[in-house]
């Protein structure tokens, strides 16, 4: 983990620090699976975390203990969303540790809706088409793709734009199988918060840009 200027974990700063400033990286421990040759995975989560706290302590150094909150999931999520964080993880306090898919824990992500230019559509045989999005500034930078979740009328408007063509790819787009459209179509995209590129994104609505 790397903290930004607001004291909030920042994944993009982490990637940069791994290369340029490894001394800024903090390891946050949240579970303990083995201790002194003893397998702790069959033990309940809270019991494992108690042993982890004894081992790590309430340290403020390079290795820190990840504190948790009991209950109040809805209020906690609302606070996480207000802070602009990526999401939260909920775990059953009595759960044992199992690798792979499990219902013992759940990651709840925070989304935001942002307006981008609809720069084109990517058509791949056997796959659903994707909307290709770009920033709405002079740089016109490619920001990623979004699944198309439009109603029938909006979908037809989008396909009409695709048929018109005459578009050019935005900066940073490497999509040889794309159909680029003329600038002027704005798309409302639902995507994960705090990402420099679209992730788990869907195109919710489109409109013509104002002159």
């Amino acid at each position: 983990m790397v903290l930004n200027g607001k004291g909030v974990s920042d994944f993009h700063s982490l990637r940069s620090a791994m290369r340029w400033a490894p001394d800024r990286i903090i390891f946050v421990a949240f579970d303990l699976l083995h201790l002194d040759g003893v397998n702790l995975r069959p033990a309940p989560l809270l019991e494992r975390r108690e042993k982890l706290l004894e081992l790590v302590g309430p340290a403020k150094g390079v290795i820190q203990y990840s504190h948790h909150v009991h209950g109040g999931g809805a209020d906690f999520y609302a606070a996480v969303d207000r802070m602009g964080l990526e999401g939260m993880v909920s775990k059953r306090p009595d759960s044992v540790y199992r690798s792979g898919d499990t219902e013992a824990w759940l990651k709840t992500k925070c989304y935001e809706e942002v307006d981008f230019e609809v720069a084109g559509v990517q058509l791949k045989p056997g796959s659903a088409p994707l909307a290709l999005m770009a920033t709405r500034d002079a740089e016109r930078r490619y920001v990623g793709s979004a699944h198309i979740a439009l109603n029938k009328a909006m979908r037809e408007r989008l396909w009409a734009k695709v048929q018109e063509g005459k578009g050019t790819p935005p900066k940073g787009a490497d999509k040889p199988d794309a159909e680029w459209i003329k600038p002027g179509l704005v798309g409302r995209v639902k995507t994960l918060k705090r990402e420099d590129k679209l992730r788990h994104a869907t195109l919710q609505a489109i409109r013509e840009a104002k002159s």
Side-chain angles (χ1 to χ4, degrees), residues 83-98:
M83 293 176 66
L85 299 178
E86 299 174 11
M88 71 177 192
V89 175
S90 307
K91 298 185 178 183
R92 298 184 185 278
D94 58 349
S95 61
V96 300
Y97 183 89
R98 289 191 177 94

Side-chain angles (χ1 to χ4, degrees), residues 10 14 23 27 32 38 53 68 75 99 105 109 113 122 124-125 160 192 196 210:
D10 190 321
L14 171 61
D23 56 303
F27 181 86
L32 185 63
V38 178
L53 181 58
H68 59 270
D75 293 336
S99 302
W105 67 274
K109 301 172 183 177
E113 293 189 357
Q122 185 177 21
K124 286 186 176 182
L192 287 182
D196 56 352
K210 296 180 179 180

Side-chain angles (χ1 to χ4, degrees), residues 19 38-39 72-73 76 82 86 92-93 97 109-110 136 155-156 163 189-190:
R19 181 172 184 180
V38 178
N39 179 16
F76 190 86
R82 286 195 301 269
E86 299 174 11
R92 298 184 185 278
Y97 183 89
K109 301 172 183 177
C110 294
R136 299 177 61 209
R155 188 178 289 264
E156 290 176 350
Q163 294 300 317
V189 177
K190 182 179 180 181

Side-chain angles (χ1 to χ4, degrees), residues 52-149:
L52 175 63
L53 181 58
E54 294 174 0
L55 181 66
V56 176
K60 300 296 182 181
V62 176
I63 301 178
Q64 298 184 12
Y65 175 78
S66 173
H67 293 276
H68 59 270
V69 175
H70 287 282
D75 293 336
F76 190 86
Y77 176 80
V80 166
D81 193 35
R82 286 195 301 269
M83 293 176 66
L85 299 178
E86 299 174 11
M88 71 177 192
V89 175
S90 307
K91 298 185 178 183
R92 298 184 185 278
D94 58 349
S95 61
V96 300
Y97 183 89
R98 289 191 177 94
S99 302
D101 295 335
T102 176
E103 296 182 353
W105 67 274
L106 175 67
K107 182 176 182 180
T108 308
K109 301 172 183 177
C110 294
Y111 288 86
E112 61 181 346
E113 293 189 357
V114 188
D115 287 346
F116 292 106
E117 176 194 331
V118 183
V121 173
Q122 185 177 21
L123 304 172
K124 286 186 176 182
S127 301
L130 298 173
L132 305 177
M133 314 303 296
T135 57
R136 299 177 61 209
D137 51 22
E139 186 179 6
R140 195 170 178 259
R141 176 177 53 85
Y142 176 68
V143 293
S145 61
H147 293 279
I148 299 173

Side-chain angles (χ1 to χ4, degrees), residues 41-53:
R41 290 179 297 179
L45 172 64
L46 290 185
E47 182 179 325
R48 301 197 308 269
R49 286 180 54 79
E50 287 177 1
K51 294 183 180 298
L52 175 63
L53 181 58

